[in-house]
Amino acid sequence: MITIRIDGKDVETAPGKSVLEAALDLRIYIPHLCHDPDLKPAGHCRLCIVEIEGRGVVASCQARVEAGMRIQTESPLLSRTRKTTLELLLAEHAGDCLRCSKVGRCKLQEAASYIGLDSTTLPAPIAPLKPCDGSNPFFNRDPNRCVLCGICVRTCQEIQGAHAIDFFSSGAFTRIGTAGGLPITASACESCGECVVRCPTGALAEKESLIPSAEVRTTCTYCGVGCGLFLGVRGNSVVSARGDRSSPVNRGQLCVKGRYGFSFINSPERLKTPLIRKDGLLKPASWDEALDTIADKFKQYRGDQFGAISSSRATNEENYLMQKFARAVMGTNNVDNCARLCHAPTVSGLSKAFGTGGGTNPLEDLEHTECILVVGSNTTEAHPVAGAKIRRAAMRAEGRAKLIVIDPREISLCGAADLWLQLRPGTDVALLQGISKLILDEGLADEKFLSSRCEGLEDFRAALQDFDLESVERITGVPKEKIRAAARMYASSNSAVTVYSLGITEHSHGTDNVLAIANLAMLTGNVGRNYAGVMPMRGQNNVQGACDMGCIPGSFPGSQSVQKPDVREKFERAWKTSLPVAPGITILEMLEAASQRKLKALYIMGMDVAFSVADTQRTQAALRSAEFIVVQDIFLTGTAQFADVVLPAASFAEKCGTFTNLERRVQMVRKAIEPVGESRPDWLIICELARRMNAHGFDYADSSEIMTELASLAPPFAGLSFERLESGGIQWPCSDSTHPGTSRLHVYGFNTPSRKGRFSALTFRPPAESPDQEFPFLLTTGRSLYHFHLAMTSQVRGLMELYPEEFAWLHPDDARTLGIKDADYVKVSSRRGQLTVRAKLAPTMARGSVFMTFHFYDKPTNVLTNQALDPVSKTPEFKVTAVKLEKAITTD
Ligand code: SF4
């Protein structure tokens, strides 16, 4: 600490701070407009001037404190100068404060009132009003209220990394806008709203802003990043969301869904009562009637006649209970969750290589590592706050991280990348093994790490002989020079993090893809260290937790095998019942068993199976074959249409529990409002159902007691409790109540029996389908920034405005060949089905490929996709489907 003198008082402050920050810390107000603690100082507004002895009048945001510095924050000279500056600003500012939604929260008003000017009584500017931009569904841009402080520009560049807006022109003509003066929605804007919350005036203001009467701190329910946020509440409605700056995950940042995507909670479409199918129709029923019907029916099925599909959207405690219900009440290990459709290859691959199926490092390592390899992850769309971290790291002025992107499409991150390797879909193993071979051949491997920490190197090295540069170029389509450059860039960095997602896992060789990533990390010693590791971007908010809680056919909570007698006995003692020995079956296998009428009853909690699984027609035929289906969800989803009984569940905002994010961080979810209608939290419903089936051990007073039971049975979570989690998330493993959690895995050894990382000898297998004369295009599927679960995001008007329908994205050259123009209808057909959607032409697409999301009930893309499975994880190959395209006249 150093001592400075402010306004005649000696005070201590930290070196390196600006004079403005030091003063604000001491609660000394200095008028300012362009200061934001998260942004680099700009000195635009000149209101924060102070007098510093020996230096005269300076902008306090630009001056750093020095020991012995003498600062005056008020003087006649400062008052006069600030008044003149502010008058000049106000002369160009629309004097319509009483009509502005930021009134009372406006920093310009605050400064004017401090300086002694009344912003509401000054004459309106003489210049004609400039046109406002209301194109974004969530916020307006009003240049008449803009003071050119530049906070929005710096936020978009420094925090979001989107560069959607900038200063244009100069002098009196200076303005902030988009390139080409386009509406904001036609720019690179991602609607994150970060600039809106930071704008000091009403120049950027939300269209609908209700001031909440209370705020509740919780965790976002959309993606696996797990951002901390505050839900604003009025009455029994959620009316706002703002980022939690104390969260180590997002430091206050949110994406468009996390900030504006919660109107689904109070949607009139929410399920509010149980429904029972009578005469072919789902009709409202009482809870007693619905639960008794289910209990009576479930009692008729035992063991493998029953299957439970749990939810990656539900809390850990609810997932724990779902697998307990399947095992202890129904006597089967047939329990699975939607990870089967996305990251099951992560669990199988990373468990085999490292001994633990979770991401190795915290998200913050993205901000410190020297190199980021992004493979098969459109991070800025699917995990936006993590994507922004990557973009920031690659674009920062000093010490920027090198960025390598491997993706068939030119995704947004390619704009910030040093290298983009555009591979053919489904050829990741060949490319990653080719990079590994080059690293070994060029002597760039970490020999010390290999000899002390790994095993299986010789078999791996022998398998690499098939991956010479020529072969890899031929298979992948990536030029040799780029493969060589990527190998050198990755291996020569002191630290490197590999980020991957569904582009790696949703393949018929998804586990091999993950193993190839693990091989590369071990080869270069990029695991078990700070800023070096492997980070799978888990999809849904709690997909990590659903697997951790044992909602998988072969494991109890904590990845404890159901086949180990001592483990099984432990759970039998705790649950006071005998438990099944044989592992259960996966979602796809359950559907197959239902088709064969071997599996008769399905209990589906919070998963839209009918539209999420590949090959929709086959999936729905299987659902029709089941004798009895219970669906528990917040909306009447597509799957609920197949149910015999539908139970209304409470949303994440209406219950307490925990989610585990993609960095293994277990975080609190807190109740903000009462459950809407008659809906109930999933955990309460499962308990009530179990009791009606005369099961014991489902009498929990609240969800914290479920966590206590989990901690007593699953060693990685032994130190977790709601009491501890109240003060912040904890990354598992956490072995006891004093253990701080584990931010980085494998620092002292891998979790394998030998404590060594295991190399895998891999061979290249092509995708199950390749383009041919009949189906000459390759379809890949993925997420849009604006949607997640259609049942939820389709209820948010603004998100639907920003991405209203399914499109087939294709390269303009391909479109020209087919006579298709932008927005024309195009029929997309595969061996399994067909859909007609509008075409979107984008030069970012690779020629010969098509991209579609899977977010729309009326255009279910999975009618096209293939159920070809990865043999290890049983995950379908959503990412490669051979299709043909034809111009269509209508949507039919
Ligand atoms: Fe929510 Fe994911 Fe967006 Fe964060 S990045 S606000 S967790 S959707």
Side-chain angles (χ1 to χ4, degrees):
M1 300 296 277
I2 56 171
T3 303
I4 58 173
R5 173 164 283 217
I6 298 192
D7 296 340
K9 274 196 207 142
D10 285 340
V11 290
E12 290 212 316
T13 188
K17 283 193 181 244
S18 71
V19 171
L20 178 62
E21 286 168 329
L24 293 175
D25 284 353
L26 296 162
R27 300 186 180 278
I28 298 171
Y29 176 69
I30 299 174
H32 59 274
L33 293 174
C34 67
H35 166 73
D36 183 300
D38 299 330
L39 302 173
K40 283 189 233 131
H44 282 152
C45 76
R46 315 310 288 182
L47 283 179
C48 71
I49 48 171
V50 293
E51 286 189 70
I52 299 178
E53 197 174 283
R55 287 171 60 178
V57 174
V58 297
S60 61
C61 68
Q62 301 264 289
R64 300 277 130 198
V65 290
E66 289 168 17
M69 190 178 251
R70 288 162 171 264
I71 302 150
Q72 205 58 44
T73 67
E74 267 311 328
S75 72
L77 172 64
L78 291 172
S79 296
R80 271 198 317 279
T81 315
R82 283 180 191 148
K83 189 163 180 236
T84 307
T85 307
L86 193 61
E87 279 171 344
L88 288 170
L89 280 177
L90 289 171
E92 297 218 349
H93 183 78
D96 62 345
C97 299
L98 299 179
R99 290 203 307 273
C100 176
S101 65
K102 286 257 181 93
V103 68
R105 296 178 289 143
C106 171
K107 283 197 177 167
L108 184 63
Q109 266 190 332
E110 186 184 21
S113 135
Y114 178 82
I115 290 166
L117 289 170
D118 183 348
S119 59
T120 62
T121 58
L122 286 170
I126 297 154
L129 282 180
K130 296 165 212 153
C132 297
D133 179 357
S135 62
N136 189 289
F138 299 113
F139 57 84
N140 284 319
R141 286 178 63 236
D142 183 351
N144 304 293
R145 292 174 176 154
C146 177
V147 290
L148 298 176
C149 69
I151 282 187
C152 54
V153 174
R154 287 182 285 142
T155 300
C156 197
Q157 291 174 358
E158 293 174 30
I159 293 180
Q160 190 64 11
H163 294 257
I165 48 175
D166 209 336
F167 284 99
F168 291 94
S169 204
S170 59
F173 302 103
T174 307
R175 63 183 174 82
I176 290 172
T178 62
L182 295 170
I184 191 82
T185 40
S187 73
C189 172
E190 292 165 354
S191 301
C192 68
E194 205 61 45
C195 58
V196 180
V197 291
R198 289 167 196 267
C199 174
T201 71
L204 286 161
E206 280 161 5
K207 286 183 171 171
E208 290 171 21
S209 72
L210 282 175
I211 309 289
S213 55
E215 286 193 317
V216 176
R217 189 185 198 172
T218 188
T219 305
C220 181
T221 190
Y222 281 112
C223 85
V225 174
C227 294
L229 52 83
F230 288 89
L231 288 181
V233 174
R234 252 168 104 115
N236 202 45
S237 296
V238 172
V239 296
S240 66
R242 71 177 172 91
D244 178 359
R245 295 175 78 97
S246 70
S247 164
V249 176
N250 56 315
R251 307 256 175 237
Q253 197 180 351
L254 293 174
C255 77
V256 59
K257 296 187 290 290
R259 194 176 310 280
Y260 300 123
F262 293 123
S263 51
F264 76 86
I265 296 167
N266 292 99
S267 160
E269 301 292 317
R270 280 283 303 275
L271 275 171
K272 297 203 179 74
T273 61
L275 305 170
I276 297 179
R277 192 170 294 280
K278 290 176 184 162
D279 303 326
L281 296 174
L282 286 169
K283 301 207 171 138
S286 69
W287 271 105
D288 278 341
E289 198 185 348
L291 290 168
D292 284 343
T293 302
I294 299 168
D296 289 347
K297 208 68 185 160
F298 278 0
K299 280 178 196 163
Q300 297 172 21
Y301 307 111
R302 280 302 293 167
D304 292 343
Q305 292 181 324
F306 175 86
I309 298 179
S310 200
S311 176
S312 308
R313 281 190 280 141
T315 62
N316 285 322
E317 295 69 27
E318 290 163 339
N319 277 290
Y320 174 85
L321 285 194
M322 191 54 146
Q323 59 84 35
K324 182 176 176 182
F325 181 85
R327 293 182 165 120
V329 182
M330 299 304 296
T332 178
N333 282 313
N334 290 352
V335 57
D336 206 4
N337 77 93
C338 88
R340 190 65 51 202
L341 308 182
C342 56
H343 272 281
T346 289
V347 179
S348 50
L350 293 188
S351 298
K352 183 175 176 202
F354 301 156
T356 301
T360 61
N361 289 54
L363 280 164
E364 64 167 303
D365 278 8
L366 292 171
E367 305 186 47
H368 304 288
T369 186
E370 279 193 14
C371 179
I372 304 172
L373 169 63
V374 178
V375 48
S377 163
N378 191 358
T379 328
T380 52
E381 295 257 339
H383 301 87
V385 167
K389 282 181 199 285
I390 295 172
R391 234 175 1 205
R392 272 203 306 272
M395 291 171 121
R396 66 178 164 239
E398 285 165 28
R400 63 174 289 274
K402 285 162 266 175
L403 176 61
I404 306 166
V405 175
I406 299 178
D407 204 289
R409 289 191 297 152
E410 189 179 356
I411 57 173
S412 155
L413 283 177
C414 294
D418 297 85
L419 283 170
W420 168 38
L421 278 56
Q422 186 177 28
L423 81 176
R424 290 193 184 100
T427 61
D428 308 77
V429 164
L431 185 55
L432 294 164
Q433 293 286 92
I435 291 173
S436 286
K437 181 170 182 342
L438 267 165
I439 289 171
L440 270 173
D441 290 351
E442 297 200 357
L444 296 172
D446 184 337
E447 295 296 341
K448 190 166 162 227
F449 190 86
L450 293 181
S451 58
S452 62
R453 301 279 315 263
C454 304
E455 59 191 16
L457 182 65
E458 287 320 308
D459 287 347
F460 168 62
R461 195 192 292 268
L464 287 182
Q465 296 318 310
D466 295 339
F467 297 97
D468 58 275
L469 261 183
E470 283 70 24
S471 306
V472 174
E473 182 183 66
R474 186 171 31 78
I475 296 169
T476 64
V478 181
K480 288 194 274 280
E481 303 68 41
K482 282 203 171 179
I483 302 171
R484 190 177 285 115
R488 288 175 182 168
M489 190 175 283
Y490 177 85
S492 61
S493 300
N494 287 318
S495 56
V497 171
T498 303
V499 168
Y500 73 88
S501 193
L502 307 187
I504 279 294
T505 56
E506 287 183 339
H507 287 278
S508 57
H509 46 270
T511 302
D512 282 357
N513 283 348
V514 175
L515 288 169
I517 287 171
N519 284 342
L520 189 55
M522 287 188 289
L523 192 60
T524 48
N526 275 310
V527 62
R529 284 194 291 127
N530 287 2
Y531 322 140
V534 174
M535 298 188 62
M537 294 282 131
R538 310 299 296 254
Q540 299 196 49
N541 55 318
N542 199 31
V543 70
Q544 177 75 56
C547 297
D548 297 342
M549 294 303 111
C551 291
I552 36 182
S555 299
F556 288 114
S559 303
Q560 302 175 88
S561 170
V562 296
Q563 291 183 288
K564 283 196 172 163
D566 55 330
V567 170
R568 201 169 50 252
E569 280 161 21
K570 176 173 71 172
F571 280 90
E572 286 178 337
R573 271 196 307 279
W575 294 347
K576 298 187 176 55
T577 187
S578 60
L579 294 170
V581 178
I585 52 177
T586 64
I587 292 175
L588 273 291
E589 290 166 336
M590 286 186 213
L591 291 169
E592 185 58 30
S595 298
Q596 296 170 7
R597 312 215 179 247
K598 292 180 190 156
L599 186 142
K600 301 185 188 295
L602 270 171
Y603 183 8
I604 304 172
M605 176 172 82
M607 181 178 168
D608 204 351
V609 178
F611 289 88
S612 307
V613 175
D615 197 346
T616 306
Q617 289 181 29
R618 190 167 157 189
T619 304
Q620 297 189 354
L623 290 173
R624 275 190 285 272
S625 304
E627 277 181 15
F628 186 67
I629 297 180
V630 176
V631 168
Q632 189 166 302
D633 215 311
I634 62 174
F635 289 105
L636 194 67
T637 60
T639 306
Q641 310 287 351
F642 293 84
D644 297 280
V645 182
V646 179
L647 301 175
S651 78
F652 84 112
E654 296 148 41
K655 60 189 176 187
C656 288
T658 58
F659 292 156
T660 306
N661 78 349
L662 56 84
E663 44 171 18
R664 297 170 283 103
R665 193 182 300 272
V666 184
Q667 307 188 99
M668 285 303 300
V669 176
R670 295 180 184 86
K671 182 175 170 180
I673 58 170
E674 291 302 320
V676 302
E678 294 178 27
S679 68
R680 294 180 182 177
D682 291 292
W683 70 269
L684 266 179
I685 301 173
I686 299 169
C687 288
E688 185 57 37
L689 185 57
R691 282 196 291 269
R692 282 171 202 246
M693 296 184 68
N694 307 318
H696 301 290
F698 287 84
D699 297 309
Y700 305 96
D702 56 34
S703 48
S704 76
E705 290 190 359
I706 306 170
M707 169 66 82
T708 304
E709 181 175 312
L710 164 74
S712 71
L713 290 168
F717 317 116
L720 299 185
S721 65
F722 276 24
E723 203 182 354
R724 287 191 76 194
L725 293 168
E726 277 296 342
S727 50
I730 296 176
Q731 288 169 276
W732 63 256
C734 175
S735 55
D736 61 53
S737 61
T738 58
H739 192 285
T742 310
S743 61
R744 293 177 187 85
L745 294 178
H746 318 309
V747 175
Y748 304 108
F750 289 94
N751 205 19
T752 56
S754 63
R755 305 283 288 157
K756 295 201 167 183
R758 291 184 287 218
F759 277 102
S760 295
L762 303 171
T763 53
F764 170 67
R765 285 183 292 126
E769 283 193 347
S770 297
D772 56 21
Q773 272 198 322
E774 193 183 357
F775 298 100
F777 286 87
L778 271 186
L779 168 72
T780 64
T781 61
R783 288 198 164 96
S784 148
L785 170 65
Y786 300 104
H787 291 289
F788 215 81
H789 314 290
L790 190 68
M792 285 149 70
T793 48
S794 67
Q795 303 297 319
V796 182
R797 192 171 38 82
L799 294 176
M800 287 302 285
E801 257 182 59
L802 288 165
Y803 203 102
E805 60 181 303
E806 189 61 84
F807 297 105
W809 295 73
L810 66 156
H811 195 279
D813 290 351
D814 289 334
R816 206 170 302 118
T817 311
L818 295 164
I820 293 168
K821 294 197 291 299
D822 196 54
D824 276 356
Y825 287 113
V826 54
K827 186 162 90 179
V828 188
S829 318
S830 76
R831 290 186 171 82
R832 289 153 292 281
Q834 62 184 50
L835 277 181
T836 301
V837 295
R838 285 185 195 276
K840 241 312 178 218
L841 309 193
T844 51
M845 291 295 302
R847 286 175 189 79
S849 69
V850 188
F851 173 79
M852 293 170 72
T853 71
F854 38 73
H855 298 307
F856 296 90
Y857 279 136
D858 61 335
K859 305 288 175 193
T861 302
N862 283 323
V863 301
L864 304 167
T865 53
N866 192 356
Q867 277 197 6
L869 298 183
D870 172 31
V872 183
S873 65
K874 314 277 174 67
T875 295
E877 187 156 62
F878 290 96
K879 290 291 177 186
V880 185
T881 304
V883 295
K884 71 177 167 200
L885 303 177
E886 297 158 276
K887 185 170 174 176
I889 307 302
T890 67
T891 56
D892 302 329

